[in-house]
Amino acid sequence: SQIRESVVYCAFINEQILFEISQEIKPPGLKLFQDIISEEFEKDLLKLFLEHSENRSMSQDELKNRVTLHYGYKFDYKTNMVDLNAPLDHHPIPCSVLKVLKIIEPNISISPNQLTVNIYQPGQGIPKHVDTHSIFTAEILSVSLGSDVVMHFKNPTTGVVLPVLIPSRSLTVMSGEARYLWHHGITPRKSDALQDLTERQLRISLTLRECTAEPCKCDYTSQCDSQNYGKPAYDVVDGGARLESEYVSSVYENIAAHFSSTRHSPWPGVVEFLNSLPPRALVVDVGCGNGKYLGVRGDVRVIGNDNSYNLCSICRDREHEVFACNALAIPLRPGCFDSVICIAMLHHIATPSRRVAVLQNLADLLTPGGLGLVTVWAQEQQLDMDLPEPCRPCPTDGTEQGVGRRHFDSQDVFVDWKLKGGLESSESKMYYRYYHVFREGELQELLSEVTSIQLLDITYQKANWCAVFRKL
């Protein structure tokens, strides 16, 4: 019988790096008040909301990283808005929370009428975000229960990231720049590396906000939905997920076989990158398509994933190791891969925040020192190169309109794919794939949002922008 060689890959670190967080260094406008309630009151609140989380009649959401409960008004995570015409009359803010508001009244300037309770198990977190400007007033309040946690604040203008330790039984008040400009979030992990390695426990946060119908007139227009009109409807309504589903995922499911038949020659630039890796390197190809890069080298282990089940099936028929998943939720253990490649996939992601999230996922997969390669279509096409397919501007209302063009006059475009009929049919069908073509410097800007990597090289090759980066 034939003996197959098996290789086991192990990831490890020699020493845990611990940090000391200064409570004096915080974003402007962020205030932290400790020990605002007693331990006994905290236990009562924890018990109350755990009981409410088991009551299916409550207004709640089971999100990827946490369970949420809503009182007063329901916060809609698809629109990041509140429907002021639909108050939760049967679920008002609990009396015990009104008691908390009475305690913290000297430290706040708003009258909250909406409460979102976030229930975090150890290992869970929340992506970085800014609370919607148009629907909430000038302060965002958060009362932390059960466990200390490190919250990260990031200035999107400067790229500065500040970790802030949020103790249990504390009140956080975000106003001014901290409320309107800085993004805040909690990294999903089971411990925080402080002066000691601190294991997280069950944590519940009470986010208290005051809803308003008045448009926001803040000074931070780059983050303000009230002052940023003209965005595509898919960006405002659902963050691009619907556009990607209809004009990327669904299209590739239908054209997979025909698409694969046109994609057979590995791009030399990608091959050169893969050939630079050491033997036995563990590599993941995110958005692997038909798997043309999975077998480039026999002495490295390459695992592929793609959002198209039909393309994954083609890879499996070629005996490649693949699985289907969305690049925004890759079910692989972080910090285990020597290299990650993402070839001609990121330009199918519809919004800047989702693109940054994909790049963050790529970085998270890498071991320290691991290398990544990302390529995207460039808006700057060579003057002597005609595009192989006509491109049309992406409409803002979801309809298909506009005249086919040979050049990218817009960064958000639809690219035609003509699916030919079979042997017994001369009919063909036209599909439209969504692309965001990248202007010069744009890929660098997105990569700068990922603080755990260092950009090593950015080049323009065959009408593509190509970036190589290293995990710090």
Side-chain angles (χ1 to χ4, degrees):
S1 61
Q2 185 177 5
I3 299 177
R4 297 184 61 183
E5 179 183 6
S6 297
V7 180
V8 177
Y9 294 88
C10 299
F12 68 95
I13 56 175
N14 292 321
E15 182 179 358
Q16 177 69 53
I17 301 175
L18 303 177
F19 298 91
E20 182 174 355
I21 297 177
S22 172
Q23 293 297 72
E24 302 301 319
I25 304 176
K26 298 189 291 289
L30 180 69
K31 298 178 181 178
L32 186 65
F33 302 92
Q34 299 192 38
D35 299 319
I36 61 164
I37 60 174
S38 67
E39 292 185 17
E40 195 63 32
F41 192 8
E42 177 188 36
K43 291 178 182 178
D44 292 340
L45 290 169
L46 288 168
K47 180 181 178 182
L48 172 69
F49 291 116
L50 288 175
E51 290 175 351
H52 282 196
S53 69
E54 296 175 357
N55 183 352
R56 292 301 172 182
S57 68
M58 298 296 298
S59 176
Q60 63 176 283
D61 293 294
E62 293 188 9
L63 305 177
K64 175 187 175 183
N65 284 320
R66 63 198 188 282
V67 172
T68 63
L69 305 170
H70 305 278
Y71 303 84
Y73 292 93
K74 180 177 175 62
F75 183 76
D76 189 335
Y77 289 97
K78 292 183 178 180
T79 63
N80 289 330
M81 295 292 283
V82 166
D83 185 353
L84 296 177
N85 296 316
L88 299 175
D89 294 330
H90 299 293
H91 301 296
I93 295 178
C95 294
S96 54
V97 177
L98 296 179
K99 182 179 177 181
V100 174
L101 286 174
K102 190 67 176 176
I103 295 172
I104 65 176
E105 188 175 13
N107 302 314
I108 64 176
S109 62
I110 64 171
S111 300
N113 56 3
Q114 192 272 335
L115 166 65
T116 294
V117 176
N118 293 278
I119 303 176
Y120 300 93
Q121 300 294 334
Q124 296 182 328
I126 184 172
K128 291 188 180 70
H129 65 283
V130 174
D131 288 67
T132 309
H133 287 210
S134 62
I135 199 65
F136 300 122
T137 55
E139 287 184 345
I140 305 296
L141 317 178
S142 178
V143 177
S144 187
L145 307 171
S147 178
D148 299 350
V149 75
V150 174
M151 180 176 289
H152 286 88
F153 290 79
K154 181 170 185 177
N155 186 318
T157 303
T158 64
V160 171
V161 177
L162 295 178
V164 177
L165 177 62
I166 309 295
S168 62
R169 306 193 310 282
S170 68
L171 165 67
T172 304
V173 179
M174 286 179 276
S175 63
E177 191 173 310
R179 184 266 185 268
Y180 289 116
L181 178 64
W182 289 66
H183 293 212
H184 61 280
I186 298 171
T187 303
R189 57 192 179 208
K190 293 190 175 182
S191 60
D192 289 309
L194 303 174
Q195 292 179 330
D196 295 307
L197 191 62
T198 304
E199 298 291 335
R200 291 183 185 175
Q201 308 297 324
L202 171 74
R203 177 177 177 270
I204 294 180
S205 69
L206 315 181
T207 301
L208 291 148
R209 299 173 285 205
E210 182 180 29
C211 301
T212 179
E214 296 295 323
C216 179
K217 298 179 181 179
C218 70
D219 295 330
Y220 308 96
T221 56
S222 65
Q223 306 295 318
C224 185
D225 58 310
S226 287
Q227 301 177 67
N228 276 327
Y229 293 107
K231 289 184 177 180
Y234 55 79
D235 194 358
V236 175
V237 172
D238 58 15
R242 176 165 57 86
L243 182 76
E244 293 164 17
S245 175
E246 184 173 354
Y247 290 104
V248 182
S249 301
S250 178
V251 172
Y252 278 103
E253 285 297 85
N254 284 288
I255 70 172
H258 187 205
F259 175 82
S260 178
S261 69
T262 68
R263 300 297 191 272
H264 43 75
S265 298
W267 190 19
V270 180
V271 173
E272 181 181 357
F273 175 84
L274 292 172
N275 284 338
S276 70
L277 301 176
R280 296 185 178 274
L282 185 59
V283 184
V284 59
D285 183 351
V286 177
C288 65
N290 67 347
K292 65 180 180 181
Y293 297 110
L294 301 182
V296 168
R297 283 184 60 181
D299 61 342
V300 300
R301 180 76 173 274
V302 186
I303 299 172
N305 63 69
D306 199 278
N307 203 31
S308 167
Y309 287 91
N310 288 336
L311 285 174
C312 285
S313 295
I314 292 171
C315 293
R316 291 191 201 97
D317 291 341
R318 297 174 178 178
E319 299 186 348
H320 295 309
E321 186 174 352
V322 296
F323 61 92
C325 77
N326 191 304
L328 288 158
I330 304 173
L332 292 173
R333 186 169 182 174
C336 290
F337 290 85
D338 302 298
S339 181
V340 58
I341 61 174
C342 181
I343 311 303
M345 185 280 286
L346 188 65
H347 49 227
H348 287 311
I349 305 300
T351 67
S353 61
R354 293 168 72 83
R355 293 173 204 133
V356 171
V358 170
L359 292 172
Q360 182 66 63
N361 285 346
L362 301 183
D364 290 344
L365 292 171
L366 291 171
T367 61
L371 296 177
L373 170 66
V374 177
T375 74
V376 294
W377 280 16
Q379 185 179 23
E380 302 84 358
Q381 299 291 303
Q382 296 176 9
L383 296 178
D384 58 352
M385 176 188 293
D386 283 336
L387 295 177
E389 300 155 339
C391 306
R392 60 184 69 201
C394 180
T396 60
D397 60 0
T399 63
E400 296 191 8
Q401 56 187 359
V403 179
R405 294 190 168 102
R406 302 294 291 177
H407 299 286
F408 293 127
D409 291 340
S410 171
Q411 284 191 264
D412 294 286
V413 297
F414 285 135
V415 177
D416 298 353
W417 184 276
K418 189 175 183 180
L419 182 62
K420 298 179 180 180
L423 296 176
E424 300 179 359
S425 174
S426 60
E427 295 183 359
S428 60
K429 184 175 181 179
M430 191 71 74
Y431 290 90
Y432 298 94
R433 297 170 293 160
Y434 167 79
Y435 280 77
H436 173 84
V437 290
F438 281 63
R439 58 173 170 75
E440 184 176 3
E442 185 176 358
L443 184 55
Q444 294 100 304
E445 292 173 6
L446 292 181
L447 287 165
S448 70
E449 294 280 317
V450 184
T451 58
S452 59
I453 62 173
Q454 175 190 8
L455 179 62
L456 299 179
D457 192 27
I458 187 84
T459 57
Y460 179 89
Q461 300 179 32
K462 296 185 177 180
N464 283 255
W465 290 111
C466 310
V468 177
F469 58 87
R470 175 186 290 118
K471 177 72 172 287
L472 298 176

